[in-house]
Amino acid sequence: MISRRQFVMRSSGTLMAAGTPLAGLTGCSPMQSREHSVDSGVSEKQWQEIGEVQQFLLPSEQHSPGAKDVNAQAYLLWVVTDPDFDEQDRQFIPQGLISLQALSQTLFQRPFNQLNDKEKETALREFEKSTEGYAWITTLLNYLLEALLTDPIYGGNPDQVGWKWLDHTPGFPRPSVKYTQL
């Protein structure tokens, strides 16, 4: 077993080497408003369920932030409502959740959010065996890492909680508030 810190550090290095942006917004510019007008394609109930999956993937612990602490759910909502976000990717988020919910029903006759931790682990491990499931979980993990590592100006990593946990000092110059609206 490796620690959460080792996991994040190794994951970040692997993803960065693959060219995946982690510390910024995919398809977003700091010049754009925080208020996006594009419909996310995800219902309020589905956003709550996505938040529960995120929290399971990156739980809060005594000395480390979790998905809620890094504002991952709101960050993901902001990213997918960006007008420049790829429409196919925007549809992928709810489709993956629907598939996970169907699998949870098949395995346990209950939706994911009603499963205990062991059942959630089983459902996600089974889901990741499919191409869609693996891609969906990877996508959520990528956005969790972005929320953990992004400059707080973009809505994730409030109060630099992720940076403090990783003992990270951001580069300069940092983005300016005058170019974003939170």
Side-chain angles (χ1 to χ4, degrees):
M1 296 292 292
I2 62 172
S3 72
R4 282 173 39 125
R5 183 181 179 123
Q6 289 170 325
F7 166 76
V8 170
M9 297 302 283
R10 289 179 187 174
S11 297
S12 298
T14 301
L15 292 170
M16 291 173 110
T20 303
L22 290 176
L25 298 177
T26 304
C28 296
S29 163
M31 299 294 287
Q32 294 172 316
S33 168
R34 293 282 305 167
E35 300 298 323
H36 295 151
S37 59
V38 176
D39 181 17
S40 69
V42 181
S43 71
E44 182 66 32
K45 181 181 179 208
Q46 288 174 317
W47 275 117
Q48 291 172 354
E49 293 167 349
I50 287 169
E52 290 186 36
V53 174
Q54 289 176 316
Q55 189 60 24
F56 186 79
L57 292 172
L58 186 65
S60 299
E61 294 180 356
Q62 184 177 359
H63 298 292
S64 57
K68 287 180 184 177
D69 303 313
V70 299
N71 207 22
Q73 183 181 18
Y75 176 81
L76 179 59
L77 175 61
W78 183 65
V79 170
V80 301
T81 58
D82 184 320
D84 294 329
F85 192 73
D86 183 74
E87 186 61 35
Q88 187 174 3
D89 289 345
R90 184 177 291 116
Q91 293 172 8
F92 182 64
I93 302 289
Q95 290 298 88
L97 179 65
I98 290 166
S99 296
L100 175 61
Q101 292 293 26
L103 178 62
S104 295
Q105 285 291 342
T106 299
L107 294 173
F108 301 106
Q109 295 72 51
R110 294 188 315 281
F112 184 85
N113 62 333
Q114 292 179 10
L115 303 178
N116 63 40
D117 285 350
K118 184 177 180 181
E119 293 167 333
K120 287 178 179 179
E121 179 77 21
T122 299
L124 287 169
R125 292 289 179 190
E126 190 64 30
F127 191 45
E128 78 177 337
K129 291 177 183 177
S130 71
T131 302
E132 175 193 18
Y134 180 82
W136 189 76
I137 292 169
T138 301
T139 297
L140 286 187
L141 286 170
N142 283 339
Y143 285 115
L144 279 167
L145 290 172
E146 280 190 20
L148 176 75
L149 300 172
T150 194
D151 192 291
I153 195 108
Y154 296 114
N157 190 22
D159 300 321
Q160 302 178 10
V161 66
W163 292 349
K164 290 173 185 173
W165 175 59
L166 294 169
D167 196 27
H168 170 71
T169 303
F172 291 96
R174 289 189 40 210
S176 172
V177 168
K178 71 181 183 176
Y179 296 119
T180 62
Q181 295 176 356
L182 299 175

